Amino acid sequence: MSKLCEGRVVIVTGAARGIGREYALQLAAHGAKVVVNDLGVSRDGIGQDLSAAQAVVDEIRAAGGEAIANGDDVSDWEGARHMIESTVAHYGDLHALVNNAGILRDRMMVNMEEGEWDAVIRVHLKGTFAPSHHAAVHWRAKQKATGEPVDARIINTSSSSGLYGNVGQSNYGAAKAGVAAMTIIGARELKRYGVTVNAISPHAQTRMTEGLRERTPEEIEARHPRWIAPVVVWLASRESSDVTGRVFEVGGGFLSAMEGWHRGPEAEPIDDATRIGPVLQDLARRARRNADMKGKDLD
């Protein structure tokens, strides 16, 4: 098997279980030196235990790969900085950052508490931005010092809850929509340094999705992380340098490049609230319907 990431140093956050674990294992199988970051928290973000991350490291090393465990909190500014700087200090470089860490605290909007909103936004949105910021600072300094593009990657994690909208997940959906927007903006800002920024919207059967609804054995197989990890491995490789600013929907029987907001039906501007109503109603009728969680037009 050809090794797409031979010698590349890759951080995977939230890598102790589920999709992140599969990313770490497949990246290592393709020659990457992997930093397995995970706080070891519960599904709703409680507690801390590095043993789960170390177990993934042990599995990688047993297979002949290179890996170290990291327990920094990616949603903490200094924790994210330490994760990036300690990786560079240990391995001498950083080539890809996979932002995968996340928690769920699902609740209907009328019942959601402030702490449930803040926790999810902090882990998913700030926990994507903070490591990306510190990695970008490192890559910018390296590019300026050498005068050569760094050929680096940021791979974010969005979700159908953010791209399509899902009842009971206003916190999680808002964060994941923000990640998709951050991906597009980051791709434009970091292109000058040789950094690509992409995201995936994964459909997977993991600890975070268990119990959300019953699934058939066929659906569970289609949502196995092994269908998702190859996309991350390729995006982390040198081969993906011409792909940036994209969100890919992966898993659950899907492999698709998402298409974002575009301007729909138009009308002449009106500066009178008493006359604008019928025009807005007409625009709403003519606009394409929002998508359901399967990416199809709502009925």
Side-chain angles (χ1 to χ4, degrees), residues 72-297:
D72 287 316
D73 182 351
V74 296
S75 67
D76 177 81
W77 194 255
E78 291 307 315
R81 185 201 304 274
H82 181 262
M83 181 179 68
I84 300 301
E85 292 181 351
S86 64
T87 295
V88 174
H90 184 86
Y91 282 124
D93 210 343
L94 173 64
H95 302 100
L97 167 66
V98 183
N99 289 308
N100 170 72
I103 62 171
L104 284 180
R105 293 191 181 176
D106 293 354
R107 189 90 67 166
M108 299 296 284
M109 187 177 293
V110 296
N111 296 320
M112 187 174 292
E113 298 179 359
E114 181 181 14
E116 294 168 328
W117 171 271
D118 288 347
V120 171
I121 295 297
R122 177 177 56 82
V123 173
H124 287 278
L125 201 53
K126 185 178 179 182
T128 295
F129 177 75
S132 299
H133 162 80
H134 293 300
V137 168
H138 164 71
W139 288 324
R140 179 183 63 177
K142 183 177 179 181
Q143 190 275 332
K144 287 179 179 281
T146 65
E148 298 293 331
V150 294
D151 197 25
R153 312 281 182 262
I154 294 175
I155 304 164
N156 295 327
T157 306
S158 187
S159 170
S160 53
S161 296
L163 301 172
Y164 302 142
N166 192 30
V167 172
Q169 292 191 315
S170 58
N171 50 3
Y172 179 73
K176 291 307 191 183
V179 168
M182 193 191 310
T183 297
I184 296 168
I185 295 166
R188 295 172 181 172
E189 290 185 354
L190 301 181
K191 182 179 180 180
R192 71 189 71 178
Y193 308 120
V195 180
T196 68
V197 187
N198 292 285
I200 62 165
S201 174
H203 296 276
Q205 189 74 5
T206 68
R207 184 175 63 154
M208 280 183 60
T209 61
E210 286 176 354
L212 294 181
R213 73 175 182 87
E214 292 294 323
R215 301 188 188 279
T216 67
E218 292 76 16
E219 287 176 320
I220 292 174
E221 164 56 23
R223 294 170 66 90
H224 193 284
R226 70 186 179 89
W227 296 104
I228 303 166
V231 175
V232 169
V233 171
W234 186 83
L235 287 175
S237 76
R238 296 176 181 85
E239 292 187 5
S240 64
S241 60
D242 62 338
V243 177
T244 193
R246 292 296 184 183
V247 179
F248 295 97
E249 185 177 25
V250 189
F254 299 102
L255 180 57
S256 174
M258 305 297 293
E259 297 178 341
W261 289 98
H262 289 77
R263 186 174 294 115
E266 298 183 62
E268 289 296 320
I270 297 172
D271 63 357
D272 184 348
T274 64
R275 294 190 299 111
I276 205 168
V279 177
L280 294 178
Q281 289 173 324
D282 176 65
L283 290 175
R285 279 192 296 266
R286 290 193 287 127
R288 182 174 178 176
R289 302 297 301 275
N290 291 335
D292 61 17
M293 284 292 286
K294 294 183 179 180
K296 305 299 182 182
D297 287 353

